[in-house]
């Protein structure tokens, strides 16, 4: 049926196992879709209806995945990714909504750039796109952007991601201004005075490999400062790509005090450690760097106990030429939108580290709550944004199936279990796998 389905304005999805992140249940059910929204859920495998039925027998149907941290590189770096190719990769990975970062060229510090991105996404039509505005003009860390104009243009958050706002007074002003506009600030926590020139995590393996290290404290000092400023100003602060056990403890303590802070972790920081750099694979060079097994253990625990709120990909495409240089000169970052679910399902769920329903929640309702976005649940009246998965299918990620414009990933030719077959976007079916 999924191969032959023609879009209807009103229909049922039946036969599937549904992932309800609100009640944390996985059970058979049917979904009534009407004019792009979820009309109702019936917890039965089949329904008696005269409406058309999308037969999802054998599949898992979840709320559409939401990624709140992606780099789509447009405008300015279209040789690595565009809105069209990045959102195509997202759709193939089961994402129905993506939040793009502001470190483009020009940066997203002007309403015209926000509108440009939205127009590009409207033309591409792959998934929903939300835009992050720059905290400071040109990402230079000096003068804050015109937040109210950016909000009027449609941004959902502010971030200089890729750079830490070094000047504490500038960051305080940004947080105060953002709080008045009810916009969260997403912080790239990394003290450059400690991280500058570093190529990987500072520790045993950096010494063994002769590569300059980035200490955990470079992240933790920055996390501590921004948490302190969030407490001072009352602004919502979201810590991007948490990578160390020390950061986890700081966030845990801040939440206990009632500071309005949330946090995310990437799939690669949950599954890869610094020992893997022994073959100098440039695709494993990321920012923040891959840490230790002890850090991974703390990150997994933080996901389970709610210290870390959600999973985000930090999808960071770089074209082949820019990565085909010596390790020292390769830009940090890896792609991840198309592999995130299957990667984590294979590595964490099948190993017993994480329940499937929790993985779905961390990729749907949890990120939606962090930024206040629509969707992420199967509640009636929500947009009919859904992801359809064959949880038993084995597949290999390679250049033939990759939808991104770049292929900078250590997961090339890796075999996964659990494949996204397609998404419903506002009730319209898009087969992807």
């Amino acid at each position: 049926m999924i191969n032959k389905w023609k879009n209807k304005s009103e229909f049922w999805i039946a036969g599937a196992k549904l992932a309800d992140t609100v009640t944390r249940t996985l059970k058979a059910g049917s979904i009534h879709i009407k004019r792009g929204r979820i009309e109702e859920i019936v917890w039965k495998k089949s329904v008696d209806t005269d409406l058309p039925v999308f037969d999802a027998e054998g599949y898992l149907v979840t709320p559409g995945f939401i990624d709140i941290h992606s780099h789509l590189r447009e405008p300015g770096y279209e040789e690595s990714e565009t809105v069209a190719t990045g959102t195509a990769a997202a759709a193939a990975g089961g994402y129905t909504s993506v939040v793009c970062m502001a470190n483009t060229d020009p940066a997203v510090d002007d309403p015209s750039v926000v509108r440009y991105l939205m127009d590009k996404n409207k033309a591409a039509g792959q998934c929903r796109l939300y835009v992050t505005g720059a905290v400071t003009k040109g990402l230079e860390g000096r003068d804050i952007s015109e937040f109210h104009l950016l909000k009027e243009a449609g941004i959902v958050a502010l971030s200089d991601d890729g750079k830490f706002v070094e000047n504490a007074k500038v960051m305080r002003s940004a947080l105060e201004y953002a709080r008045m506009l009810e916009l969260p600030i997403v912080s790239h926590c990394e003290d450059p005075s400690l991280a500058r020139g570093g190529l990987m995590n500072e520790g045993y393996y950096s010494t063994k490999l002769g590569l300059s290290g980035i200490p955990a404290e470079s992240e933790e000092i920055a996390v501590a400062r921004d948490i302190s400023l969030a407490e001072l100003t009352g602004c919502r602060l979201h810590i991007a790509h948490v990578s160390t056990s020390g950061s986890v403890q700081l966030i845990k303590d801040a939440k206990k005090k009632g500071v309005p802070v949330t946090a995310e972790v990437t799939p690669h920081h949950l599954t890869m450690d610094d020992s893997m750099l022994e073959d100098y694979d440039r695709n494993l060079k990321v920012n923040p760097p891959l840490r230790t097994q002890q850090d991974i253990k703390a990150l997994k625990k933080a996901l389970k106990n709610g210290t870390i709120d959600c999973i985000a990909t930090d999808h960071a495409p770089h074209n082949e030429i820019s990565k085909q240089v010596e390790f020292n000169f390769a830009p940090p970052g890896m792609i991840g939108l198309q592999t995130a679910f299957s990667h984590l399902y294979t590595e964490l769920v099948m190993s017993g580290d994480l329940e499937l329903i929790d993985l779905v929640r961390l990729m749907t309702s949890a990120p939606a709550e962090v930024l206040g976005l629509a969707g992420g649940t199967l509640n009636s009246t929500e947009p009919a944004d859904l992801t359809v998965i064959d949880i038993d299918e084995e597949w290999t990620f390679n250049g033939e199936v990759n939808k991104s414009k770049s292929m900078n990933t250590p997961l090339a030719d890796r075999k996964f279990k659990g494949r996204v077959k397609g998404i419903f976007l506002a009730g319209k079916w898009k087969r992807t796998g």
Side-chain angles (χ1 to χ4, degrees):
M1 170 58 80
I2 66 172
N3 293 325
K4 301 175 181 176
W5 179 255
K6 292 183 179 178
N7 285 316
K8 316 284 183 185
S9 63
E10 186 173 5
F11 60 99
W12 282 86
I13 300 171
K17 184 176 285 187
L18 306 184
D20 185 349
T21 57
V22 175
T23 60
R24 292 187 74 250
T25 55
L26 286 166
K27 60 181 180 180
S30 301
I31 308 174
H32 181 190
I33 307 295
K34 187 174 182 180
R35 291 193 288 273
R37 306 192 81 82
I38 296 173
E39 183 74 7
E40 66 174 311
I41 304 284
V42 174
W43 293 107
K44 295 192 298 185
K45 192 172 181 179
S46 61
V47 289
D48 184 14
T49 178
D50 293 329
L51 293 172
V53 175
F54 180 98
D55 182 3
E57 174 75 36
Y59 295 110
L60 172 69
V61 175
T62 75
F65 299 158
I66 297 172
D67 186 38
I68 61 172
H69 189 153
S70 287
H71 299 272
L72 301 185
R73 301 302 190 208
E74 189 174 12
Y77 307 101
E78 289 86 349
E79 70 278 9
S80 294
E81 195 76 288
T82 65
V83 170
T85 58
T87 54
Y95 288 94
T96 54
S97 294
V98 165
V99 179
C100 63
M101 289 291 121
N103 59 340
T104 50
D105 185 15
V108 189
D109 59 4
D110 187 273
S112 62
V113 186
V114 180
R115 289 192 286 270
Y116 172 85
L117 288 166
M118 289 180 168
D119 289 344
K120 282 287 182 178
N121 188 59
K122 188 176 180 181
Q126 301 286 344
C127 68
R128 299 180 197 276
L129 180 68
Y130 297 98
V131 180
T132 299
V135 174
T136 63
K137 292 179 180 176
L139 310 173
E140 293 178 347
R142 292 195 293 268
D143 303 311
I144 61 175
S145 305
E146 296 285 355
F147 293 176
H148 69 287
L149 294 179
L150 291 172
K151 184 175 182 181
E152 284 179 358
I155 65 163
V156 297
L158 292 153
S159 181
D160 276 4
D161 185 60
K163 291 183 177 179
F164 180 58
V165 180
E166 290 185 58
N167 187 306
K169 188 173 182 180
V170 171
M171 188 61 168
R172 175 184 176 172
S173 297
L175 287 161
E176 288 173 335
Y177 196 5
R179 178 179 57 80
M180 287 190 288
L181 296 169
E182 298 182 344
L183 285 169
I185 287 188
V186 180
S187 181
H188 176 114
C189 286
E190 180 182 57
D191 185 328
S193 66
L194 283 172
R196 191 170 291 119
L199 300 169
M200 65 175 293
N201 180 54
E202 181 176 289
Y204 170 80
Y205 287 101
S206 65
T207 303
K208 180 181 179 181
L209 301 175
L211 296 174
S212 56
I214 301 173
E217 287 76 9
S218 67
E219 177 174 309
E220 292 157 8
I221 288 171
V223 169
R225 188 207 73 174
D226 278 0
I227 285 175
S228 181
L229 290 175
E231 185 175 17
L232 175 68
T233 61
C235 182
R236 281 189 292 150
L237 175 72
H238 180 69
I239 309 293
H241 40 52
V242 175
S243 72
T244 78
S245 59
S247 294
V248 167
Q249 188 61 50
L250 288 164
I251 294 162
K252 184 178 182 180
D253 293 343
K255 287 189 168 186
K256 197 175 292 182
K257 289 175 65 179
V259 181
V261 60
T262 54
E264 71 188 33
V265 63
T266 71
H268 47 275
H269 286 111
L270 285 167
T271 57
M272 303 175 191
D273 65 49
D274 56 355
S275 72
M276 299 170 74
L277 284 158
E278 285 200 290
D279 60 358
Y280 297 92
D281 182 351
R282 288 150 291 197
N283 291 317
L284 290 165
K285 185 180 178 184
V286 290
N287 189 20
L290 302 178
R291 303 290 187 179
T292 66
Q293 276 296 324
Q294 288 73 26
D295 291 307
I296 290 175
K297 186 177 178 183
L299 294 169
K300 289 178 180 176
K301 185 177 179 183
L303 269 183
K304 289 181 180 177
N305 65 27
T307 301
I308 292 180
D309 299 82
C310 68
I311 293 169
T313 67
D314 193 10
H315 176 82
H318 294 289
N319 64 49
E320 186 174 355
I321 293 173
S322 65
K323 279 285 191 180
Q324 292 300 321
V325 294
E326 293 178 37
F327 188 89
N328 296 23
F329 302 109
M334 66 174 74
I335 59 173
L337 281 167
Q338 196 169 338
T339 54
F341 174 81
S342 299
H343 181 198
L344 292 173
Y345 178 72
T346 304
E347 295 265 344
L348 299 189
V349 177
M350 293 188 67
S351 68
D353 278 345
L354 196 64
E355 296 290 331
L356 174 57
I357 188 63
D358 287 326
L359 174 59
V360 172
R361 177 180 58 78
L362 291 161
M363 296 178 68
T364 56
S365 56
E369 289 173 11
V370 167
L371 293 189
L373 306 178
T377 73
L378 298 180
N379 292 344
S380 59
T381 76
E382 287 281 8
D385 292 355
L386 305 165
T387 301
V388 179
I389 305 164
D390 184 339
I391 215 70
D392 296 318
E393 182 175 336
E394 291 188 349
W395 67 290
T396 300
F397 181 67
N398 54 35
E400 291 183 11
V401 300
N402 178 35
K403 302 293 184 185
S404 172
K405 207 168 182 179
S406 296
M407 191 61 189
N408 55 305
T409 173
L411 301 178
D413 299 321
R414 280 280 299 274
K415 185 177 285 187
F416 298 115
K417 193 160 186 181
R419 186 172 192 180
V420 172
K421 304 302 291 183
I423 60 172
F424 283 97
L425 184 64
K428 293 186 177 177
W429 172 242
K430 181 186 292 291
R431 172 145 195 188
T432 60

